[in-house]
Amino acid sequence: MRVREEREQAEAAGHLIRPPGNSTPEHRFAPEHGPMTPAQAINLRSTAGNAAVSRVVGQNRGAEPKIPWAAPGTRSKRSQGEAGIERGESPPQQVTRTTRSGRAGTSAKGKEKAEEPEEIGNPTLRFTSNYAGPTEQSLAGNHAIGFEQEATLQRANGMTTPAEDAYDFWQEVTDTYSYIPPDAVNYRPKKTKRPWVVDGPFHPPYNTEDGMVIKDDNRITFDDSPGFSGNMRMTNGYWLSFYEVKFRWKVRRKLGGQFTKKEPFWTSDEMVHRVESVFDPQNPEATAQITARPAGNRTWNVELPN
């Protein structure tokens, strides 16, 4: 008789916080009851037994929402249950990382032994280019005078780490040009020279939306069209007398975080495109030949610094 009374009391206590079967688990109590205080727990233990108290407390904890991970820099020490991770989760969550020592890989959170990171080997850089403009120029023309080029960084053979996770790869450019504008006095040319800068979208993080950067696991390719093309054409009344543009590329093992030009890095030789076209002020309406010298093709075996 005593056993049946204890069981009935325990079942009644359990119903204080159990939500209806068709409801979403959440903080829910009977209208006349809130979360159990220590005094209520002691009182329930004396009348219904330890099993009932454990069951009530367990149901109360199970109804709480899981807590997500804190933002970087604000994470505090918490148990697996508090962090929303089930005990015995298999496999444990993996974290990809690249170290300054040139190794990249995954490590398991918790007490699992970290996997040996992959060695980041020396990549290969291949450059190809050609002239893509006309052979003649005139003041009355609308000329797209420029080049086409590709610079492809190929990851080291045998690596499984994606190229964009293994390396920081970026392109730098400088140029000099001389041109005759429509308002030039006696067809006197103007000259412009710009210093070395990181070139447009050709750096991490790599924006692939406009097709100028192409990447897959094995490679990162910069597809560029330097020169006077698109909205930079030599339009009616303008004459391009001389144009020289230089490129170089830098590679390092990925440092992580925001991209910077911080050392250490490997630097390629400079590749130079040139265009010349001689204007005759005595015969301004005449056409003239365009002499173009593209930089050509080149392959480097990159030697990454430590």
Side-chain angles (χ1 to χ4, degrees):
M1 185 68 176
R2 174 70 174 172
V3 173
R4 186 173 64 185
E5 290 177 354
E6 290 180 354
R7 184 170 63 251
E8 290 174 351
Q9 289 173 336
E11 291 175 352
H15 284 296
L16 293 178
I17 63 169
R18 184 179 297 119
N22 61 351
S23 66
T24 301
E26 59 184 38
H27 293 289
R28 187 183 296 273
F29 303 92
E32 69 275 12
H33 293 277
M36 291 187 63
T37 65
Q40 290 173 327
I42 293 172
N43 182 57
L44 180 60
R45 182 181 295 113
S46 65
T47 59
N50 289 331
V53 175
S54 298
R55 183 160 55 250
V56 171
V57 174
Q59 291 168 347
N60 187 7
R61 182 181 298 116
E64 295 176 356
K66 291 185 177 181
I67 303 173
W69 286 104
T74 62
R75 184 178 301 172
S76 60
K77 294 182 179 179
R78 291 177 294 201
S79 67
Q80 284 182 323
E82 290 173 322
I85 298 178
E86 299 295 336
R87 292 185 179 275
E89 180 183 15
S90 180
Q93 184 176 349
Q94 300 292 310
V95 179
T96 302
R97 59 188 174 88
T98 306
T99 67
R100 288 296 300 272
S101 63
R103 296 177 180 271
T106 58
S107 61
K109 288 187 176 182
K111 297 182 179 179
E112 296 285 340
K113 184 178 179 180
E115 297 179 8
E116 183 68 18
E118 181 177 45
E119 184 74 30
I120 300 302
N122 288 324
T124 301
L125 176 58
R126 297 184 179 89
F127 173 74
T128 61
S129 67
N130 62 275
Y131 176 64
T135 59
E136 293 183 335
Q137 180 178 198
S138 69
L139 278 179
N142 185 24
H143 306 294
I145 303 173
F147 301 85
E148 294 177 347
Q149 66 182 46
E150 284 189 356
T152 297
L153 187 73
Q154 184 85 21
R155 70 180 176 183
N157 291 335
M159 281 179 51
T160 59
T161 303
E164 68 173 319
D165 293 337
Y167 310 105
D168 278 335
F169 175 44
W170 67 99
Q171 176 173 295
E172 295 182 345
V173 62
T174 181
D175 64 5
T176 302
Y177 57 94
S178 175
Y179 69 100
I180 301 173
D183 60 353
V185 177
N186 297 324
Y187 300 105
R188 183 178 301 167
K190 291 185 177 181
K191 296 181 180 180
T192 299
K193 183 174 183 179
R194 293 182 288 192
W196 284 100
V197 295
V198 176
D199 186 20
F202 304 113
H203 60 78
Y206 309 107
N207 179 8
T208 61
E209 293 180 359
D210 56 12
M212 300 177 74
V213 178
I214 305 165
K215 62 184 178 68
D216 55 32
D217 285 349
N218 289 313
R219 63 175 179 133
I220 304 165
T221 295
F222 295 158
D223 185 359
D224 195 3
S225 300
F228 294 84
S229 59
N231 60 1
M232 291 292 292
R233 289 170 178 258
M234 303 305 297
T235 56
N236 186 13
Y238 286 84
W239 184 281
L240 182 63
S241 301
F242 174 81
Y243 176 53
E244 180 182 85
V245 57
K246 298 179 181 180
F247 292 90
R248 66 189 181 198
W249 295 268
K250 294 183 177 180
V251 186
R252 68 179 172 212
R253 294 183 179 91
K254 198 167 192 67
L255 298 183
Q258 186 175 2
F259 166 68
T260 68
K261 296 185 289 183
K262 185 178 179 180
E263 296 188 36
F265 49 73
W266 171 90
T267 305
S268 73
D269 301 325
E270 296 176 7
M271 303 302 290
V272 184
H273 303 300
R274 289 189 182 94
V275 166
E276 291 181 276
S277 185
V278 179
F279 179 76
D280 183 2
Q282 303 301 320
N283 190 11
E285 303 302 323
T287 61
Q289 182 179 357
I290 295 175
T291 301
R293 293 187 292 274
N297 305 328
R298 185 75 181 272
T299 298
W300 294 274
N301 294 318
V302 178
E303 296 184 3
L304 296 174
N306 293 322

mmCIF file of all heavy atoms in Angstrom, residues 16 26 36 48 72 83 91 117 119 136 139 141 146 183 193 211 220 224 226 235 268 274-275 298 305:
data_model
loop_
_atom_site.group_PDB
_atom_site.id
_atom_site.type_symbol
_atom_site.label_atom_id
_atom_site.label_comp_id
_atom_site.label_asym_id
_atom_site.label_seq_id
_atom_site.Cartn_x
_atom_site.Cartn_y
_atom_site.Cartn_z
ATOM 1 N N LEU A 16 3.823 18.168 -13.088
ATOM 2 C CA LEU A 16 3.892 19.609 -12.849
ATOM 3 C C LEU A 16 4.618 20.343 -13.966
ATOM 4 O O LEU A 16 4.317 21.487 -14.259
ATOM 5 C CB LEU A 16 4.608 19.881 -11.516
ATOM 6 C CG LEU A 16 3.869 19.433 -10.249
ATOM 7 C CD1 LEU A 16 4.734 19.731 -9.035
ATOM 8 C CD2 LEU A 16 2.532 20.149 -10.131
ATOM 9 N N GLU A 26 9.561 23.489 -24.124
ATOM 10 C CA GLU A 26 9.979 24.816 -23.739
ATOM 11 C C GLU A 26 9.854 24.919 -22.238
ATOM 12 O O GLU A 26 9.468 23.972 -21.560
ATOM 13 C CB GLU A 26 9.107 25.881 -24.420
ATOM 14 C CG GLU A 26 7.642 25.734 -24.072
ATOM 15 C CD GLU A 26 6.763 26.723 -24.808
ATOM 16 O OE1 GLU A 26 7.033 26.990 -25.981
ATOM 17 O OE2 GLU A 26 5.817 27.227 -24.188
ATOM 18 N N MET A 36 11.425 24.319 -9.345
ATOM 19 C CA MET A 36 11.539 23.799 -7.984
ATOM 20 C C MET A 36 12.640 24.504 -7.213
ATOM 21 O O MET A 36 13.745 24.674 -7.710
ATOM 22 C CB MET A 36 11.819 22.294 -8.004
ATOM 23 C CG MET A 36 10.657 21.463 -8.498
ATOM 24 S SD MET A 36 11.004 19.712 -8.307
ATOM 25 C CE MET A 36 11.156 19.606 -6.539
ATOM 26 N N ALA A 48 7.714 11.588 -1.790
ATOM 27 C CA ALA A 48 7.622 10.743 -2.984
ATOM 28 C C ALA A 48 8.902 9.981 -3.271
ATOM 29 O O ALA A 48 8.917 9.132 -4.151
ATOM 30 C CB ALA A 48 7.271 11.606 -4.193
ATOM 31 N N PRO A 72 33.737 34.224 -30.727
ATOM 32 C CA PRO A 72 35.169 34.172 -30.410
ATOM 33 C C PRO A 72 35.561 35.263 -29.423
ATOM 34 O O PRO A 72 35.173 36.407 -29.557
ATOM 35 C CB PRO A 72 35.828 34.401 -31.778
ATOM 36 C CG PRO A 72 34.812 33.950 -32.769
ATOM 37 C CD PRO A 72 33.487 34.288 -32.163
ATOM 38 N N ALA A 83 26.709 23.290 -23.632
ATOM 39 C CA ALA A 83 27.078 23.813 -24.949
ATOM 40 C C ALA A 83 26.228 23.252 -26.063
ATOM 41 O O ALA A 83 26.408 23.602 -27.214
ATOM 42 C CB ALA A 83 28.554 23.512 -25.226
ATOM 43 N N PRO A 91 31.479 11.352 -35.441
ATOM 44 C CA PRO A 91 32.800 11.816 -35.003
ATOM 45 C C PRO A 91 32.692 13.194 -34.367
ATOM 46 O O PRO A 91 31.732 13.907 -34.596
ATOM 47 C CB PRO A 91 33.582 11.901 -36.323
ATOM 48 C CG PRO A 91 32.530 12.222 -37.326
ATOM 49 C CD PRO A 91 31.296 11.467 -36.881
ATOM 50 N N PRO A 117 48.764 17.555 -38.682
ATOM 51 C CA PRO A 117 48.407 18.427 -39.803
ATOM 52 C C PRO A 117 49.237 18.117 -41.040
ATOM 53 O O PRO A 117 50.367 17.634 -40.952
ATOM 54 C CB PRO A 117 48.705 19.835 -39.275
ATOM 55 C CG PRO A 117 49.713 19.623 -38.191
ATOM 56 C CD PRO A 117 49.388 18.296 -37.573
ATOM 57 N N GLU A 119 51.547 18.709 -44.251
ATOM 58 C CA GLU A 119 52.641 19.590 -44.641
ATOM 59 C C GLU A 119 52.225 20.401 -45.870
ATOM 60 O O GLU A 119 51.718 19.848 -46.845
ATOM 61 C CB GLU A 119 53.878 18.767 -44.973
ATOM 62 C CG GLU A 119 55.101 19.591 -45.288
ATOM 63 C CD GLU A 119 55.715 20.236 -44.062
ATOM 64 O OE1 GLU A 119 55.587 19.647 -42.963
ATOM 65 O OE2 GLU A 119 56.303 21.317 -44.205
ATOM 66 N N GLU A 136 46.756 48.470 -85.810
ATOM 67 C CA GLU A 136 46.904 49.869 -86.217
ATOM 68 C C GLU A 136 46.049 50.767 -85.330
ATOM 69 O O GLU A 136 45.067 50.317 -84.713
ATOM 70 C CB GLU A 136 46.504 50.053 -87.678
ATOM 71 C CG GLU A 136 47.437 49.376 -88.673
ATOM 72 C CD GLU A 136 47.036 49.664 -90.115
ATOM 73 O OE1 GLU A 136 45.834 49.949 -90.357
ATOM 74 O OE2 GLU A 136 47.910 49.631 -90.992
ATOM 75 N N LEU A 139 43.381 58.440 -84.810
ATOM 76 C CA LEU A 139 42.678 59.352 -83.910
ATOM 77 C C LEU A 139 41.170 59.166 -83.971
ATOM 78 O O LEU A 139 40.464 59.400 -82.987
ATOM 79 C CB LEU A 139 43.028 60.806 -84.256
ATOM 80 C CG LEU A 139 44.342 61.358 -83.699
ATOM 81 C CD1 LEU A 139 44.534 62.801 -84.169
ATOM 82 C CD2 LEU A 139 44.363 61.294 -82.176
ATOM 83 N N GLY A 141 39.625 56.428 -84.294
ATOM 84 C CA GLY A 141 39.244 55.058 -83.933
ATOM 85 C C GLY A 141 38.640 54.947 -82.541
ATOM 86 O O GLY A 141 38.501 55.923 -81.800
ATOM 87 N N GLY A 146 45.063 46.230 -75.503
ATOM 88 C CA GLY A 146 45.383 45.574 -74.237
ATOM 89 C C GLY A 146 45.849 44.148 -74.418
ATOM 90 O O GLY A 146 46.085 43.673 -75.534
ATOM 91 N N ASP A 183 42.551 67.744 -76.417
ATOM 92 C CA ASP A 183 42.841 69.156 -76.151
ATOM 93 C C ASP A 183 44.343 69.442 -76.050
ATOM 94 O O ASP A 183 44.747 70.520 -75.599
ATOM 95 C CB ASP A 183 42.146 69.599 -74.867
ATOM 96 C CG ASP A 183 42.589 68.790 -73.649
ATOM 97 O OD1 ASP A 183 43.330 67.800 -73.828
ATOM 98 O OD2 ASP A 183 42.179 69.132 -72.522
ATOM 99 N N LYS A 193 52.366 57.858 -64.423
ATOM 100 C CA LYS A 193 53.055 56.713 -63.822
ATOM 101 C C LYS A 193 52.427 56.428 -62.471
ATOM 102 O O LYS A 193 52.222 57.343 -61.664
ATOM 103 C CB LYS A 193 54.543 57.006 -63.651
ATOM 104 C CG LYS A 193 55.328 55.815 -63.104
ATOM 105 C CD LYS A 193 56.824 56.094 -63.073
ATOM 106 C CE LYS A 193 57.584 54.866 -62.592
ATOM 107 N NZ LYS A 193 59.064 55.095 -62.581
ATOM 108 N N GLY A 211 34.138 36.181 -62.513
ATOM 109 C CA GLY A 211 34.931 35.339 -63.399
ATOM 110 C C GLY A 211 36.391 35.712 -63.510
ATOM 111 O O GLY A 211 37.140 35.071 -64.248
ATOM 112 N N ILE A 220 44.413 28.164 -57.944
ATOM 113 C CA ILE A 220 43.805 29.493 -57.951
ATOM 114 C C ILE A 220 44.302 30.178 -59.214
ATOM 115 O O ILE A 220 45.512 30.250 -59.443
ATOM 116 C CB ILE A 220 44.212 30.317 -56.719
ATOM 117 C CG1 ILE A 220 43.880 29.575 -55.428
ATOM 118 C CG2 ILE A 220 43.541 31.691 -56.739
ATOM 119 C CD1 ILE A 220 44.571 30.154 -54.212
ATOM 120 N N ASP A 224 43.099 37.917 -66.142
ATOM 121 C CA ASP A 224 43.182 39.370 -66.186
ATOM 122 C C ASP A 224 43.269 39.876 -67.626
ATOM 123 O O ASP A 224 43.727 39.158 -68.514
ATOM 124 C CB ASP A 224 44.434 39.810 -65.411
ATOM 125 C CG ASP A 224 44.426 41.286 -65.076
ATOM 126 O OD1 ASP A 224 43.431 41.967 -65.390
ATOM 127 O OD2 ASP A 224 45.418 41.762 -64.499
ATOM 128 N N PRO A 226 44.739 43.329 -68.755
ATOM 129 C CA PRO A 226 45.297 44.670 -68.543
ATOM 130 C C PRO A 226 45.345 45.486 -69.829
ATOM 131 O O PRO A 226 45.471 44.936 -70.922
ATOM 132 C CB PRO A 226 46.712 44.363 -68.039
ATOM 133 C CG PRO A 226 47.036 43.032 -68.642
ATOM 134 C CD PRO A 226 45.757 42.270 -68.666
ATOM 135 N N THR A 235 39.314 56.214 -77.117
ATOM 136 C CA THR A 235 38.179 56.632 -77.946
ATOM 137 C C THR A 235 38.570 57.738 -78.920
ATOM 138 O O THR A 235 39.702 58.227 -78.922
ATOM 139 C CB THR A 235 37.021 57.093 -77.061
ATOM 140 O OG1 THR A 235 37.482 58.133 -76.201
ATOM 141 C CG2 THR A 235 36.501 55.955 -76.211
ATOM 142 N N SER A 268 57.658 36.609 -57.313
ATOM 143 C CA SER A 268 58.061 36.212 -58.664
ATOM 144 C C SER A 268 58.905 37.307 -59.315
ATOM 145 O O SER A 268 58.978 38.436 -58.826
ATOM 146 C CB SER A 268 56.823 35.956 -59.527
ATOM 147 O OG SER A 268 56.204 37.189 -59.858
ATOM 148 N N ARG A 274 54.420 45.746 -73.192
ATOM 149 C CA ARG A 274 54.670 47.085 -73.760
ATOM 150 C C ARG A 274 53.901 47.267 -75.061
ATOM 151 O O ARG A 274 53.753 46.318 -75.835
ATOM 152 C CB ARG A 274 56.160 47.304 -74.027
ATOM 153 C CG ARG A 274 57.016 47.463 -72.788
ATOM 154 C CD ARG A 274 58.435 47.882 -73.147
ATOM 155 N NE ARG A 274 59.279 47.988 -71.965
ATOM 156 C CZ ARG A 274 60.044 47.001 -71.519
ATOM 157 N NH1 ARG A 274 60.058 45.838 -72.155
ATOM 158 N NH2 ARG A 274 60.776 47.163 -70.436
ATOM 159 N N VAL A 275 53.471 48.500 -75.279
ATOM 160 C CA VAL A 275 52.825 48.907 -76.531
ATOM 161 C C VAL A 275 53.419 50.249 -76.954
ATOM 162 O O VAL A 275 53.584 51.155 -76.127
ATOM 163 C CB VAL A 275 51.292 49.045 -76.359
ATOM 164 C CG1 VAL A 275 50.685 49.779 -77.539
ATOM 165 C CG2 VAL A 275 50.641 47.685 -76.218
ATOM 166 N N ARG A 298 55.652 31.954 -68.594
ATOM 167 C CA ARG A 298 56.689 31.669 -67.601
ATOM 168 C C ARG A 298 56.146 30.680 -66.569
ATOM 169 O O ARG A 298 54.960 30.701 -66.229
ATOM 170 C CB ARG A 298 57.113 32.969 -66.913
ATOM 171 C CG ARG A 298 58.271 32.851 -65.952
ATOM 172 C CD ARG A 298 59.604 32.698 -66.667
ATOM 173 N NE ARG A 298 60.681 32.557 -65.688
ATOM 174 C CZ ARG A 298 61.345 33.574 -65.134
ATOM 175 N NH1 ARG A 298 61.028 34.821 -65.496
ATOM 176 N NH2 ARG A 298 62.291 33.368 -64.263
ATOM 177 N N PRO A 305 59.222 30.707 -48.108
ATOM 178 C CA PRO A 305 60.100 30.933 -46.933
ATOM 179 C C PRO A 305 59.484 30.338 -45.683
ATOM 180 O O PRO A 305 58.271 30.132 -45.601
ATOM 181 C CB PRO A 305 60.173 32.460 -46.844
ATOM 182 C CG PRO A 305 58.900 32.932 -47.462
ATOM 183 C CD PRO A 305 58.564 31.932 -48.551
#
